[in-house]
Amino acid sequence: MRLRPCYLALAFVPAVALAAPKAPKKPPKKPDAGEHDKDKDKDKDKDKEKDKDKEPAKAEPAKAEPEKAEKPDKEPGTTGKGGGAGGSGGGGAGGGDADPDRSAKADAPDVDQLRQEYLSLRDELFKSRARASAIASQLYSTRVQIKLTYTSGRYYTPSKSAIRLDGAGVFEDATGAIAGDDGVRFTGFVAPGKHTVTFRVEAAGKDDPTFASVTETQIVVQAVAGKDLIVAAKAHDSGDIASEWKRKEKGSYGLGIDVSVKAAARADDAPAGKGGKK
């Protein structure tokens, strides 16, 4: 079989191309010496700047300022300008509390606490009186009973009544109880001898409360050793001014406190104290 000349030419073309020698590579261009020095200078400048940043900043000497006359920041009762006025408005005037109702509530007294304190003090007072009475019963041999009655309760209302024994309050009432019964208002022990008893009654007319009165009487009693001392007082107002003044423009007060005193044998037949009898 004979090959055609065209096929032979195509077969030899690749072989010739492969056999051809490669062109030599060009050597890399060397950097210019001047440019290399410039790069080095730039790197040195950058290093110097970094070193400066790391070094602590040196404090510049303060410039001498001319002396100025000292002035107060602000006068008493005034506020500064701008933001100063706003800052002093809340903290200076009301202590920083923007709610006046809350501060008023904080300053208001606690009624419940005061009531509890009053009840506690009253209980202590009653206990101390009971203890004093118990001690007195051991020291003294005379027991005293004091009564107080208001007999004009139909026309007058006793608004307040009180009894004092030797200057010490032993009874006080503001409910008008003395007009309801003639019960014993005080029982206690006293030393034999003289004692003072004071009765005080405040009353007002039922028809016209404008007409009010105060009656006070002080008496001296004698306590007998080993016996009970009974003191009975009856307060009254026999006047008619509260009912007659509107009709006749006249009237009267009939104020008085009648007191009866007596010594009686010990009701419970208790043994008497020193110098006493059964």
Side-chain angles (χ1 to χ4, degrees):
M1 180 178 178
R2 292 181 66 183
L3 298 175
R4 294 181 181 182
C6 60
Y7 291 111
L8 291 174
L10 293 173
F12 285 108
V13 168
V16 172
L18 293 173
K22 296 181 179 180
K25 295 182 179 180
K26 295 181 180 182
K29 186 178 180 180
K30 294 183 180 180
D32 191 8
E35 294 179 357
H36 184 68
D37 295 336
K38 290 180 180 180
D39 293 338
K40 287 184 178 181
D41 294 336
K42 290 181 181 180
D43 294 338
K44 290 180 180 180
D45 294 337
K46 290 181 180 180
D47 294 336
K48 290 180 179 180
E49 292 178 358
K50 291 180 180 180
D51 295 336
K52 289 181 179 180
D53 295 337
K54 291 180 180 180
E55 293 178 359
K58 296 181 179 179
E60 296 181 359
K63 297 181 180 180
E65 294 182 358
E67 296 182 358
K68 296 181 180 180
E70 295 184 357
K71 295 182 180 180
D73 294 340
K74 56 182 180 180
E75 297 180 358
T78 61
T79 57
K81 297 181 180 179
S88 62
D97 194 351
D99 190 355
D101 294 337
R102 182 172 59 184
S103 60
K105 291 179 181 178
D107 296 336
D110 190 343
V111 179
D112 293 336
Q113 184 177 357
L114 292 176
R115 184 182 294 108
Q116 293 297 328
E117 185 176 356
Y118 163 74
L119 294 176
S120 178
L121 292 174
R122 189 184 66 175
D123 293 341
E124 291 180 4
L125 178 61
F126 290 159
K127 290 178 181 178
S128 63
R129 285 181 177 177
R131 180 172 177 79
S133 178
I135 294 174
S137 65
Q138 301 297 323
L139 296 175
Y140 308 127
S141 60
T142 302
R143 181 171 59 183
V144 61
Q145 290 184 347
I146 303 176
K147 299 180 179 181
L148 177 59
T149 307
Y150 191 73
T151 61
S152 302
R154 182 178 178 182
Y155 306 103
Y156 296 91
T157 301
S159 57
K160 186 179 291 185
S161 57
I163 302 174
R164 297 194 300 272
L165 177 60
D166 294 331
V170 294
F171 172 77
E172 187 172 345
D173 178 69
T175 63
I178 61 173
D181 58 65
D182 59 350
V184 177
R185 310 305 175 186
F186 171 75
T187 300
F189 287 84
V190 295
K194 295 181 180 180
H195 299 274
T196 59
V197 183
T198 305
F199 300 94
R200 179 183 174 89
V201 177
E202 299 178 17
K206 287 187 175 180
D207 294 334
D208 191 348
T210 304
F211 298 97
S213 63
V214 178
T215 306
E216 182 170 321
T217 299
Q218 185 178 85
I219 62 172
V220 177
V221 297
Q222 180 74 31
V224 181
K227 291 186 177 181
D228 292 341
L229 182 66
I230 301 174
V231 182
K234 293 183 179 181
H236 60 82
D237 186 352
S238 59
D240 58 359
I241 190 171
S243 59
E244 294 296 324
W245 184 263
K246 290 183 179 180
R247 296 186 301 170
K248 303 178 181 180
E249 292 186 348
K250 68 177 183 178
S252 63
Y253 287 96
L255 306 175
I257 299 178
D258 301 328
V259 186
S260 64
V261 184
K262 70 174 181 179
R266 187 66 56 83
D268 54 3
D269 198 22
K274 294 181 181 180
K277 299 179 181 179
K278 288 187 178 181

